[in-house]
């Protein structure tokens, strides 16, 4: 029966470090998604219309996250460790909610773009009731932001839960830690010098009274 050469060279300490690395990468990706959620929530609420530049920046950020997640999947498909395979499953699972969030942000960007085009550039088909159009756009923007936030929350939670599963337990870390050997005692401690006897003291003579 042949043995796997990779498994033979994997020490417990190396496996622990691999688990920690995978878990930290998942936590980092979840953190990026949480920061995007914070930025989306910072957009002005109705009846204000978000600035197109701000919305476009959020779309670009999410596109970068999606690309990074796809790259993580492709990279870990070439690895053979069990932790890498678990990470692939976690990254693949968040592609769906991230895609849903991208759809919502795309709708948000399109709606803000159209609103700016029709209201600020003298579009020939400008609505006859601008207030009604404004309320309509606000409803769409609010719905898109809420749906995107929900999808991003699900993606971040999935990554965080997977990171917890991959993170080694304290007992596992302690078991894999190399045993500590006592420090070598120095020569003075190993071979203590014989105690020097105190100098002889002459007995006192008792003087006569």
């Amino acid at each position: 029966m042949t043995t796997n050469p990779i498994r033979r060279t994997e020490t417990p300490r190396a496996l622990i470090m691999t688990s920690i690395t995978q878990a930290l990468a998942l936590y980092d990706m979840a953190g990026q998604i949480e920061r995007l959620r914070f930025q989306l929530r910072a957009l002005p609420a109705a009846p204000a219309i978000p600035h197109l530049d701000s919305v476009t920046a959020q779309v670009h950020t999410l596109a970068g996250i999606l690309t990074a997640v796809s790259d993580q999947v492709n990279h870990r498909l070439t690895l053979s460790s069990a932790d890498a395979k678990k990470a692939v499953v976690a990254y693949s699972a968040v592609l769906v909610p991230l895609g849903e969030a991208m759809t919502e942000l795309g709708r948000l960007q399109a709606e803000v773009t159209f609103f700016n085009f029709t209201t600020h550039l003298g579009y020939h088909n400008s609505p006859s009731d601008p207030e009604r159009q404004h309320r309509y756009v606000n409803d769409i923007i609010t719905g898109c932001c809420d749906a995107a936030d929900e999808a991003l929350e699900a993606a971040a939670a999935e990554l965080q839960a997977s990171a917890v599963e991959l993170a080694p337990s304290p007992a596992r870390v302690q078991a894999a830690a190399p045993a500590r050997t006592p420090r070598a005692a120095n020569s003075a401690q190993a071979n203590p010098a014989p105690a020097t006897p105190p100098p002889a003291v002459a007995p006192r003579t008792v003087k006569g009274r």
Side-chain angles (χ1 to χ4, degrees):
M1 180 177 179
T2 60
T3 58
N4 189 335
I6 297 179
R7 290 295 181 184
R8 190 169 56 244
T9 58
E10 287 179 342
T11 64
R13 182 175 177 82
L15 292 174
I16 290 294
M17 294 304 299
T18 299
S19 298
I20 294 175
T21 300
Q22 300 288 355
L24 289 177
L26 290 169
Y27 271 123
D28 178 71
M29 190 64 68
Q32 295 183 42
I33 296 174
E34 289 291 354
R35 285 191 292 274
L36 177 57
R37 289 183 65 203
F38 178 80
Q39 294 169 3
L40 285 174
R41 292 181 176 184
L43 293 176
I49 302 297
H51 198 279
L52 181 59
D53 289 343
S54 299
V55 175
T56 302
Q58 313 313 322
V59 173
H60 288 174
T61 299
L62 180 54
I65 292 175
L66 263 169
T67 301
V69 171
S70 298
D71 290 343
Q72 293 290 349
V73 172
N74 294 336
H75 170 66
R76 282 165 175 74
L77 283 175
T78 62
L79 305 178
S80 60
S81 68
D83 289 335
K85 293 178 180 178
K86 292 179 181 178
V88 167
V89 173
Y91 285 118
S92 300
V94 302
L95 287 174
V96 174
L98 290 179
E100 294 174 352
M102 179 60 79
T103 299
E104 297 299 334
L105 290 188
R107 290 179 59 199
L108 172 62
Q109 184 182 32
E111 199 60 41
V112 173
T113 301
F114 184 73
F115 178 82
N116 289 338
F117 186 66
T118 56
T119 57
H120 299 297
L121 299 181
Y123 185 59
H124 66 279
N125 286 332
S126 297
S128 57
D129 189 352
E131 292 184 3
R132 181 180 179 183
Q133 177 67 14
H134 198 126
R135 290 194 301 269
Y136 173 76
V137 172
N138 279 145
D139 290 342
I140 294 180
I141 291 175
T142 300
C144 290
C145 288
D146 290 344
D149 182 81
E150 184 178 352
L152 293 174
E153 181 182 15
E158 176 69 27
L159 292 174
Q160 291 168 352
S162 299
V164 171
E165 293 180 0
L166 280 174
S169 63
R172 184 183 172 194
V173 174
Q174 185 176 5
R180 293 184 177 182
T181 56
R183 296 181 179 180
N186 55 36
S187 57
Q189 293 175 334
N191 300 306
T196 303
V201 179
R204 292 182 178 181
T205 57
V206 180
K207 295 181 179 182
R209 293 181 181 179

PDB file of all heavy atoms in Angstrom, residues 16-52:
ATOM      1  N   ILE A  16      -2.051  23.045  11.075  1.00  0.00           N
ATOM      2  CA  ILE A  16      -2.653  24.110  11.865  1.00  0.00           C
ATOM      3  C   ILE A  16      -2.468  25.454  11.175  1.00  0.00           C
ATOM      4  O   ILE A  16      -3.405  26.265  11.079  1.00  0.00           O
ATOM      5  CB  ILE A  16      -2.027  24.145  13.275  1.00  0.00           C
ATOM      6  CG1 ILE A  16      -2.462  22.918  14.077  1.00  0.00           C
ATOM      7  CG2 ILE A  16      -2.427  25.421  13.995  1.00  0.00           C
ATOM      8  CD1 ILE A  16      -3.943  22.884  14.383  1.00  0.00           C
ATOM      9  N   MET A  17      -1.276  25.721  10.681  1.00  0.00           N
ATOM     10  CA  MET A  17      -1.018  26.989  10.008  1.00  0.00           C
ATOM     11  C   MET A  17      -1.859  27.119   8.745  1.00  0.00           C
ATOM     12  O   MET A  17      -2.340  28.207   8.413  1.00  0.00           O
ATOM     13  CB  MET A  17       0.476  27.106   9.665  1.00  0.00           C
ATOM     14  CG  MET A  17       1.383  27.188  10.890  1.00  0.00           C
ATOM     15  SD  MET A  17       0.931  28.556  11.999  1.00  0.00           S
ATOM     16  CE  MET A  17       1.176  29.955  10.904  1.00  0.00           C
ATOM     17  N   THR A  18      -2.052  26.021   8.032  1.00  0.00           N
ATOM     18  CA  THR A  18      -2.899  26.051   6.836  1.00  0.00           C
ATOM     19  C   THR A  18      -4.337  26.398   7.208  1.00  0.00           C
ATOM     20  O   THR A  18      -4.994  27.205   6.538  1.00  0.00           O
ATOM     21  CB  THR A  18      -2.848  24.700   6.121  1.00  0.00           C
ATOM     22  OG1 THR A  18      -1.501  24.421   5.721  1.00  0.00           O
ATOM     23  CG2 THR A  18      -3.730  24.706   4.878  1.00  0.00           C
ATOM     24  N   SER A  19      -4.843  25.796   8.276  1.00  0.00           N
ATOM     25  CA  SER A  19      -6.204  26.088   8.722  1.00  0.00           C
ATOM     26  C   SER A  19      -6.353  27.553   9.108  1.00  0.00           C
ATOM     27  O   SER A  19      -7.350  28.204   8.769  1.00  0.00           O
ATOM     28  CB  SER A  19      -6.568  25.191   9.903  1.00  0.00           C
ATOM     29  OG  SER A  19      -6.541  23.824   9.545  1.00  0.00           O
ATOM     30  N   ILE A  20      -5.370  28.077   9.817  1.00  0.00           N
ATOM     31  CA  ILE A  20      -5.418  29.479  10.233  1.00  0.00           C
ATOM     32  C   ILE A  20      -5.395  30.396   9.012  1.00  0.00           C
ATOM     33  O   ILE A  20      -6.145  31.381   8.945  1.00  0.00           O
ATOM     34  CB  ILE A  20      -4.246  29.792  11.176  1.00  0.00           C
ATOM     35  CG1 ILE A  20      -4.405  29.023  12.491  1.00  0.00           C
ATOM     36  CG2 ILE A  20      -4.143  31.284  11.437  1.00  0.00           C
ATOM     37  CD1 ILE A  20      -3.240  29.186  13.440  1.00  0.00           C
ATOM     38  N   THR A  21      -4.550  30.078   8.042  1.00  0.00           N
ATOM     39  CA  THR A  21      -4.459  30.901   6.838  1.00  0.00           C
ATOM     40  C   THR A  21      -5.780  30.925   6.084  1.00  0.00           C
ATOM     41  O   THR A  21      -6.245  31.985   5.636  1.00  0.00           O
ATOM     42  CB  THR A  21      -3.343  30.374   5.925  1.00  0.00           C
ATOM     43  OG1 THR A  21      -2.096  30.419   6.627  1.00  0.00           O
ATOM     44  CG2 THR A  21      -3.231  31.216   4.661  1.00  0.00           C
ATOM     45  N   GLN A  22      -6.391  29.753   5.932  1.00  0.00           N
ATOM     46  CA  GLN A  22      -7.672  29.680   5.231  1.00  0.00           C
ATOM     47  C   GLN A  22      -8.749  30.459   5.982  1.00  0.00           C
ATOM     48  O   GLN A  22      -9.550  31.190   5.379  1.00  0.00           O
ATOM     49  CB  GLN A  22      -8.100  28.217   5.074  1.00  0.00           C
ATOM     50  CG  GLN A  22      -7.138  27.341   4.289  1.00  0.00           C
ATOM     51  CD  GLN A  22      -7.132  27.655   2.799  1.00  0.00           C
ATOM     52  OE1 GLN A  22      -7.901  28.468   2.321  1.00  0.00           O
ATOM     53  NE2 GLN A  22      -6.264  26.992   2.060  1.00  0.00           N
ATOM     54  N   ALA A  23      -8.777  30.320   7.290  1.00  0.00           N
ATOM     55  CA  ALA A  23      -9.790  31.016   8.088  1.00  0.00           C
ATOM     56  C   ALA A  23      -9.602  32.529   8.008  1.00  0.00           C
ATOM     57  O   ALA A  23     -10.588  33.281   7.870  1.00  0.00           O
ATOM     58  CB  ALA A  23      -9.722  30.545   9.540  1.00  0.00           C
ATOM     59  N   LEU A  24      -8.370  33.002   8.097  1.00  0.00           N
ATOM     60  CA  LEU A  24      -8.115  34.439   8.028  1.00  0.00           C
ATOM     61  C   LEU A  24      -8.507  35.007   6.665  1.00  0.00           C
ATOM     62  O   LEU A  24      -9.010  36.135   6.574  1.00  0.00           O
ATOM     63  CB  LEU A  24      -6.641  34.724   8.316  1.00  0.00           C
ATOM     64  CG  LEU A  24      -6.186  34.513   9.765  1.00  0.00           C
ATOM     65  CD1 LEU A  24      -4.693  34.770   9.897  1.00  0.00           C
ATOM     66  CD2 LEU A  24      -6.959  35.425  10.705  1.00  0.00           C
ATOM     67  N   ALA A  25      -8.272  34.245   5.603  1.00  0.00           N
ATOM     68  CA  ALA A  25      -8.657  34.709   4.267  1.00  0.00           C
ATOM     69  C   ALA A  25     -10.172  34.857   4.158  1.00  0.00           C
ATOM     70  O   ALA A  25     -10.671  35.818   3.555  1.00  0.00           O
ATOM     71  CB  ALA A  25      -8.137  33.736   3.213  1.00  0.00           C
ATOM     72  N   LEU A  26     -10.911  33.924   4.748  1.00  0.00           N
ATOM     73  CA  LEU A  26     -12.369  34.016   4.738  1.00  0.00           C
ATOM     74  C   LEU A  26     -12.841  35.221   5.547  1.00  0.00           C
ATOM     75  O   LEU A  26     -13.749  35.947   5.133  1.00  0.00           O
ATOM     76  CB  LEU A  26     -12.973  32.723   5.293  1.00  0.00           C
ATOM     77  CG  LEU A  26     -12.828  31.479   4.408  1.00  0.00           C
ATOM     78  CD1 LEU A  26     -13.228  30.234   5.186  1.00  0.00           C
ATOM     79  CD2 LEU A  26     -13.676  31.601   3.152  1.00  0.00           C
ATOM     80  N   TYR A  27     -12.232  35.424   6.704  1.00  0.00           N
ATOM     81  CA  TYR A  27     -12.581  36.585   7.529  1.00  0.00           C
ATOM     82  C   TYR A  27     -12.289  37.890   6.787  1.00  0.00           C
ATOM     83  O   TYR A  27     -13.072  38.861   6.875  1.00  0.00           O
ATOM     84  CB  TYR A  27     -11.797  36.562   8.839  1.00  0.00           C
ATOM     85  CG  TYR A  27     -12.472  35.805   9.950  1.00  0.00           C
ATOM     86  CD1 TYR A  27     -11.845  34.749  10.591  1.00  0.00           C
ATOM     87  CD2 TYR A  27     -13.757  36.153  10.385  1.00  0.00           C
ATOM     88  CE1 TYR A  27     -12.464  34.048  11.616  1.00  0.00           C
ATOM     89  CE2 TYR A  27     -14.374  35.468  11.410  1.00  0.00           C
ATOM     90  CZ  TYR A  27     -13.727  34.417  12.018  1.00  0.00           C
ATOM     91  OH  TYR A  27     -14.347  33.737  13.041  1.00  0.00           O
ATOM     92  N   ASP A  28     -11.181  37.945   6.081  1.00  0.00           N
ATOM     93  CA  ASP A  28     -10.818  39.155   5.353  1.00  0.00           C
ATOM     94  C   ASP A  28     -11.842  39.454   4.264  1.00  0.00           C
ATOM     95  O   ASP A  28     -12.249  40.612   4.088  1.00  0.00           O
ATOM     96  CB  ASP A  28      -9.430  38.993   4.738  1.00  0.00           C
ATOM     97  CG  ASP A  28      -9.025  40.219   3.924  1.00  0.00           C
ATOM     98  OD1 ASP A  28      -8.760  41.266   4.543  1.00  0.00           O
ATOM     99  OD2 ASP A  28      -8.971  40.122   2.683  1.00  0.00           O
ATOM    100  N   MET A  29     -12.286  38.431   3.535  1.00  0.00           N
ATOM    101  CA  MET A  29     -13.275  38.646   2.494  1.00  0.00           C
ATOM    102  C   MET A  29     -14.609  39.081   3.097  1.00  0.00           C
ATOM    103  O   MET A  29     -15.294  39.966   2.548  1.00  0.00           O
ATOM    104  CB  MET A  29     -13.449  37.361   1.677  1.00  0.00           C
ATOM    105  CG  MET A  29     -14.277  37.539   0.409  1.00  0.00           C
ATOM    106  SD  MET A  29     -13.464  38.650  -0.777  1.00  0.00           S
ATOM    107  CE  MET A  29     -12.054  37.640  -1.258  1.00  0.00           C
ATOM    108  N   ALA A  30     -14.979  38.488   4.207  1.00  0.00           N
ATOM    109  CA  ALA A  30     -16.206  38.909   4.890  1.00  0.00           C
ATOM    110  C   ALA A  30     -16.103  40.366   5.327  1.00  0.00           C
ATOM    111  O   ALA A  30     -17.081  41.120   5.256  1.00  0.00           O
ATOM    112  CB  ALA A  30     -16.474  38.006   6.090  1.00  0.00           C
ATOM    113  N   GLY A  31     -14.918  40.779   5.774  1.00  0.00           N
ATOM    114  CA  GLY A  31     -14.718  42.162   6.178  1.00  0.00           C
ATOM    115  C   GLY A  31     -14.880  43.129   5.014  1.00  0.00           C
ATOM    116  O   GLY A  31     -15.434  44.228   5.183  1.00  0.00           O
ATOM    117  N   GLN A  32     -14.407  42.746   3.841  1.00  0.00           N
ATOM    118  CA  GLN A  32     -14.587  43.595   2.666  1.00  0.00           C
ATOM    119  C   GLN A  32     -16.066  43.772   2.330  1.00  0.00           C
ATOM    120  O   GLN A  32     -16.510  44.868   1.961  1.00  0.00           O
ATOM    121  CB  GLN A  32     -13.851  42.994   1.469  1.00  0.00           C
ATOM    122  CG  GLN A  32     -12.345  42.950   1.608  1.00  0.00           C
ATOM    123  CD  GLN A  32     -11.664  42.403   0.369  1.00  0.00           C
ATOM    124  OE1 GLN A  32     -12.023  42.726  -0.758  1.00  0.00           O
ATOM    125  NE2 GLN A  32     -10.667  41.547   0.561  1.00  0.00           N
ATOM    126  N   ILE A  33     -16.823  42.695   2.457  1.00  0.00           N
ATOM    127  CA  ILE A  33     -18.256  42.782   2.184  1.00  0.00           C
ATOM    128  C   ILE A  33     -18.951  43.654   3.217  1.00  0.00           C
ATOM    129  O   ILE A  33     -19.838  44.450   2.889  1.00  0.00           O
ATOM    130  CB  ILE A  33     -18.859  41.357   2.156  1.00  0.00           C
ATOM    131  CG1 ILE A  33     -18.258  40.560   0.997  1.00  0.00           C
ATOM    132  CG2 ILE A  33     -20.375  41.410   2.028  1.00  0.00           C
ATOM    133  CD1 ILE A  33     -18.671  39.102   0.979  1.00  0.00           C
ATOM    134  N   GLU A  34     -18.559  43.526   4.481  1.00  0.00           N
ATOM    135  CA  GLU A  34     -19.162  44.353   5.521  1.00  0.00           C
ATOM    136  C   GLU A  34     -18.858  45.834   5.296  1.00  0.00           C
ATOM    137  O   GLU A  34     -19.703  46.699   5.559  1.00  0.00           O
ATOM    138  CB  GLU A  34     -18.657  43.915   6.895  1.00  0.00           C
ATOM    139  CG  GLU A  34     -19.189  42.565   7.361  1.00  0.00           C
ATOM    140  CD  GLU A  34     -20.672  42.612   7.684  1.00  0.00           C
ATOM    141  OE1 GLU A  34     -21.269  43.705   7.659  1.00  0.00           O
ATOM    142  OE2 GLU A  34     -21.249  41.557   7.964  1.00  0.00           O
ATOM    143  N   ARG A  35     -17.675  46.144   4.829  1.00  0.00           N
ATOM    144  CA  ARG A  35     -17.336  47.547   4.555  1.00  0.00           C
ATOM    145  C   ARG A  35     -18.184  48.094   3.403  1.00  0.00           C
ATOM    146  O   ARG A  35     -18.601  49.262   3.431  1.00  0.00           O
ATOM    147  CB  ARG A  35     -15.838  47.683   4.226  1.00  0.00           C
ATOM    148  CG  ARG A  35     -14.941  47.562   5.458  1.00  0.00           C
ATOM    149  CD  ARG A  35     -13.520  47.966   5.141  1.00  0.00           C
ATOM    150  NE  ARG A  35     -12.862  47.028   4.242  1.00  0.00           N
ATOM    151  CZ  ARG A  35     -12.230  45.938   4.644  1.00  0.00           C
ATOM    152  NH1 ARG A  35     -12.175  45.638   5.936  1.00  0.00           N
ATOM    153  NH2 ARG A  35     -11.639  45.142   3.772  1.00  0.00           N
ATOM    154  N   LEU A  36     -18.455  47.249   2.409  1.00  0.00           N
ATOM    155  CA  LEU A  36     -19.322  47.677   1.319  1.00  0.00           C
ATOM    156  C   LEU A  36     -20.738  47.930   1.826  1.00  0.00           C
ATOM    157  O   LEU A  36     -21.392  48.905   1.409  1.00  0.00           O
ATOM    158  CB  LEU A  36     -19.334  46.620   0.209  1.00  0.00           C
ATOM    159  CG  LEU A  36     -20.274  46.897  -0.972  1.00  0.00           C
ATOM    160  CD1 LEU A  36     -19.959  48.237  -1.623  1.00  0.00           C
ATOM    161  CD2 LEU A  36     -20.192  45.769  -2.000  1.00  0.00           C
ATOM    162  N   ARG A  37     -21.225  47.089   2.733  1.00  0.00           N
ATOM    163  CA  ARG A  37     -22.549  47.316   3.324  1.00  0.00           C
ATOM    164  C   ARG A  37     -22.581  48.660   4.056  1.00  0.00           C
ATOM    165  O   ARG A  37     -23.564  49.402   3.964  1.00  0.00           O
ATOM    166  CB  ARG A  37     -22.888  46.203   4.309  1.00  0.00           C
ATOM    167  CG  ARG A  37     -23.175  44.844   3.691  1.00  0.00           C
ATOM    168  CD  ARG A  37     -23.571  43.845   4.760  1.00  0.00           C
ATOM    169  NE  ARG A  37     -24.832  44.243   5.385  1.00  0.00           N
ATOM    170  CZ  ARG A  37     -25.208  43.863   6.603  1.00  0.00           C
ATOM    171  NH1 ARG A  37     -24.418  43.104   7.344  1.00  0.00           N
ATOM    172  NH2 ARG A  37     -26.374  44.258   7.093  1.00  0.00           N
ATOM    173  N   PHE A  38     -21.530  48.964   4.768  1.00  0.00           N
ATOM    174  CA  PHE A  38     -21.460  50.240   5.487  1.00  0.00           C
ATOM    175  C   PHE A  38     -21.504  51.414   4.506  1.00  0.00           C
ATOM    176  O   PHE A  38     -22.178  52.423   4.761  1.00  0.00           O
ATOM    177  CB  PHE A  38     -20.180  50.289   6.323  1.00  0.00           C
ATOM    178  CG  PHE A  38     -19.983  51.571   7.067  1.00  0.00           C
ATOM    179  CD1 PHE A  38     -20.644  51.820   8.255  1.00  0.00           C
ATOM    180  CD2 PHE A  38     -19.126  52.554   6.562  1.00  0.00           C
ATOM    181  CE1 PHE A  38     -20.466  53.021   8.937  1.00  0.00           C
ATOM    182  CE2 PHE A  38     -18.951  53.747   7.237  1.00  0.00           C
ATOM    183  CZ  PHE A  38     -19.612  53.973   8.432  1.00  0.00           C
ATOM    184  N   GLN A  39     -20.792  51.302   3.385  1.00  0.00           N
ATOM    185  CA  GLN A  39     -20.781  52.362   2.389  1.00  0.00           C
ATOM    186  C   GLN A  39     -22.159  52.535   1.754  1.00  0.00           C
ATOM    187  O   GLN A  39     -22.595  53.666   1.492  1.00  0.00           O
ATOM    188  CB  GLN A  39     -19.737  52.058   1.316  1.00  0.00           C
ATOM    189  CG  GLN A  39     -18.308  52.090   1.834  1.00  0.00           C
ATOM    190  CD  GLN A  39     -17.312  51.536   0.842  1.00  0.00           C
ATOM    191  OE1 GLN A  39     -17.674  51.168  -0.281  1.00  0.00           O
ATOM    192  NE2 GLN A  39     -16.053  51.455   1.247  1.00  0.00           N
ATOM    193  N   LEU A  40     -22.850  51.439   1.506  1.00  0.00           N
ATOM    194  CA  LEU A  40     -24.192  51.532   0.936  1.00  0.00           C
ATOM    195  C   LEU A  40     -25.155  52.212   1.905  1.00  0.00           C
ATOM    196  O   LEU A  40     -26.001  53.015   1.509  1.00  0.00           O
ATOM    197  CB  LEU A  40     -24.711  50.136   0.569  1.00  0.00           C
ATOM    198  CG  LEU A  40     -24.117  49.497  -0.689  1.00  0.00           C
ATOM    199  CD1 LEU A  40     -24.621  48.069  -0.836  1.00  0.00           C
ATOM    200  CD2 LEU A  40     -24.476  50.312  -1.921  1.00  0.00           C
ATOM    201  N   ARG A  41     -25.028  51.883   3.180  1.00  0.00           N
ATOM    202  CA  ARG A  41     -25.901  52.494   4.178  1.00  0.00           C
ATOM    203  C   ARG A  41     -25.588  53.966   4.374  1.00  0.00           C
ATOM    204  O   ARG A  41     -26.425  54.714   4.895  1.00  0.00           O
ATOM    205  CB  ARG A  41     -25.764  51.750   5.507  1.00  0.00           C
ATOM    206  CG  ARG A  41     -26.320  50.335   5.466  1.00  0.00           C
ATOM    207  CD  ARG A  41     -26.190  49.651   6.800  1.00  0.00           C
ATOM    208  NE  ARG A  41     -26.812  48.326   6.793  1.00  0.00           N
ATOM    209  CZ  ARG A  41     -26.914  47.550   7.856  1.00  0.00           C
ATOM    210  NH1 ARG A  41     -26.440  47.949   9.015  1.00  0.00           N
ATOM    211  NH2 ARG A  41     -27.493  46.362   7.763  1.00  0.00           N
ATOM    212  N   ALA A  42     -24.409  54.388   3.982  1.00  0.00           N
ATOM    213  CA  ALA A  42     -24.036  55.795   4.110  1.00  0.00           C
ATOM    214  C   ALA A  42     -24.594  56.646   2.978  1.00  0.00           C
ATOM    215  O   ALA A  42     -24.502  57.885   3.039  1.00  0.00           O
ATOM    216  CB  ALA A  42     -22.518  55.933   4.150  1.00  0.00           C
ATOM    217  N   LEU A  43     -25.159  56.015   1.954  1.00  0.00           N
ATOM    218  CA  LEU A  43     -25.766  56.788   0.873  1.00  0.00           C
ATOM    219  C   LEU A  43     -26.951  57.585   1.426  1.00  0.00           C
ATOM    220  O   LEU A  43     -27.639  57.129   2.340  1.00  0.00           O
ATOM    221  CB  LEU A  43     -26.242  55.856  -0.249  1.00  0.00           C
ATOM    222  CG  LEU A  43     -25.160  55.121  -1.044  1.00  0.00           C
ATOM    223  CD1 LEU A  43     -25.798  54.167  -2.046  1.00  0.00           C
ATOM    224  CD2 LEU A  43     -24.242  56.109  -1.748  1.00  0.00           C
ATOM    225  N   PRO A  44     -27.208  58.760   0.880  1.00  0.00           N
ATOM    226  CA  PRO A  44     -28.318  59.576   1.394  1.00  0.00           C
ATOM    227  C   PRO A  44     -29.655  58.870   1.236  1.00  0.00           C
ATOM    228  O   PRO A  44     -29.925  58.231   0.212  1.00  0.00           O
ATOM    229  CB  PRO A  44     -28.244  60.848   0.545  1.00  0.00           C
ATOM    230  CG  PRO A  44     -27.489  60.457  -0.682  1.00  0.00           C
ATOM    231  CD  PRO A  44     -26.517  59.414  -0.236  1.00  0.00           C
ATOM    232  N   ALA A  45     -30.476  58.960   2.260  1.00  0.00           N
ATOM    233  CA  ALA A  45     -31.783  58.310   2.232  1.00  0.00           C
ATOM    234  C   ALA A  45     -32.804  59.186   1.524  1.00  0.00           C
ATOM    235  O   ALA A  45     -32.578  60.382   1.287  1.00  0.00           O
ATOM    236  CB  ALA A  45     -32.241  58.029   3.659  1.00  0.00           C
ATOM    237  N   ALA A  46     -33.932  58.588   1.162  1.00  0.00           N
ATOM    238  CA  ALA A  46     -35.018  59.320   0.507  1.00  0.00           C
ATOM    239  C   ALA A  46     -35.477  60.463   1.408  1.00  0.00           C
ATOM    240  O   ALA A  46     -35.444  60.331   2.640  1.00  0.00           O
ATOM    241  CB  ALA A  46     -36.168  58.364   0.206  1.00  0.00           C
ATOM    242  N   PRO A  47     -35.867  61.563   0.837  1.00  0.00           N
ATOM    243  CA  PRO A  47     -36.126  61.786  -0.594  1.00  0.00           C
ATOM    244  C   PRO A  47     -34.909  62.197  -1.409  1.00  0.00           C
ATOM    245  O   PRO A  47     -35.038  62.492  -2.595  1.00  0.00           O
ATOM    246  CB  PRO A  47     -37.153  62.919  -0.577  1.00  0.00           C
ATOM    247  CG  PRO A  47     -36.770  63.722   0.626  1.00  0.00           C
ATOM    248  CD  PRO A  47     -36.308  62.723   1.643  1.00  0.00           C
ATOM    249  N   ALA A  48     -33.729  62.219  -0.806  1.00  0.00           N
ATOM    250  CA  ALA A  48     -32.529  62.574  -1.566  1.00  0.00           C
ATOM    251  C   ALA A  48     -32.190  61.461  -2.546  1.00  0.00           C
ATOM    252  O   ALA A  48     -32.473  60.279  -2.301  1.00  0.00           O
ATOM    253  CB  ALA A  48     -31.361  62.824  -0.613  1.00  0.00           C
ATOM    254  N   ILE A  49     -31.587  61.826  -3.637  1.00  0.00           N
ATOM    255  CA  ILE A  49     -31.138  60.868  -4.648  1.00  0.00           C
ATOM    256  C   ILE A  49     -29.624  60.716  -4.524  1.00  0.00           C
ATOM    257  O   ILE A  49     -28.906  61.733  -4.519  1.00  0.00           O
ATOM    258  CB  ILE A  49     -31.504  61.340  -6.066  1.00  0.00           C
ATOM    259  CG1 ILE A  49     -33.011  61.554  -6.197  1.00  0.00           C
ATOM    260  CG2 ILE A  49     -31.022  60.334  -7.103  1.00  0.00           C
ATOM    261  CD1 ILE A  49     -33.841  60.311  -6.014  1.00  0.00           C
ATOM    262  N   PRO A  50     -29.109  59.505  -4.381  1.00  0.00           N
ATOM    263  CA  PRO A  50     -27.656  59.331  -4.264  1.00  0.00           C
ATOM    264  C   PRO A  50     -26.934  59.895  -5.480  1.00  0.00           C
ATOM    265  O   PRO A  50     -27.447  59.884  -6.599  1.00  0.00           O
ATOM    266  CB  PRO A  50     -27.485  57.807  -4.171  1.00  0.00           C
ATOM    267  CG  PRO A  50     -28.810  57.296  -3.737  1.00  0.00           C
ATOM    268  CD  PRO A  50     -29.831  58.221  -4.320  1.00  0.00           C
ATOM    269  N   HIS A  51     -25.729  60.379  -5.239  1.00  0.00           N
ATOM    270  CA  HIS A  51     -24.914  60.887  -6.335  1.00  0.00           C
ATOM    271  C   HIS A  51     -24.458  59.723  -7.202  1.00  0.00           C
ATOM    272  O   HIS A  51     -24.102  58.652  -6.704  1.00  0.00           O
ATOM    273  CB  HIS A  51     -23.706  61.658  -5.800  1.00  0.00           C
ATOM    274  CG  HIS A  51     -23.072  62.556  -6.812  1.00  0.00           C
ATOM    275  ND1 HIS A  51     -22.193  62.100  -7.769  1.00  0.00           N
ATOM    276  CD2 HIS A  51     -23.206  63.898  -7.036  1.00  0.00           C
ATOM    277  CE1 HIS A  51     -21.789  63.111  -8.523  1.00  0.00           C
ATOM    278  NE2 HIS A  51     -22.391  64.215  -8.096  1.00  0.00           N
ATOM    279  N   LEU A  52     -24.469  59.936  -8.498  1.00  0.00           N
ATOM    280  CA  LEU A  52     -24.122  58.861  -9.426  1.00  0.00           C
ATOM    281  C   LEU A  52     -22.695  58.362  -9.203  1.00  0.00           C
ATOM    282  O   LEU A  52     -22.435  57.153  -9.298  1.00  0.00           O
ATOM    283  CB  LEU A  52     -24.298  59.337 -10.871  1.00  0.00           C
ATOM    284  CG  LEU A  52     -23.998  58.310 -11.970  1.00  0.00           C
ATOM    285  CD1 LEU A  52     -24.887  57.083 -11.813  1.00  0.00           C
ATOM    286  CD2 LEU A  52     -24.182  58.935 -13.351  1.00  0.00           C
TER     287      LEU A  52
END
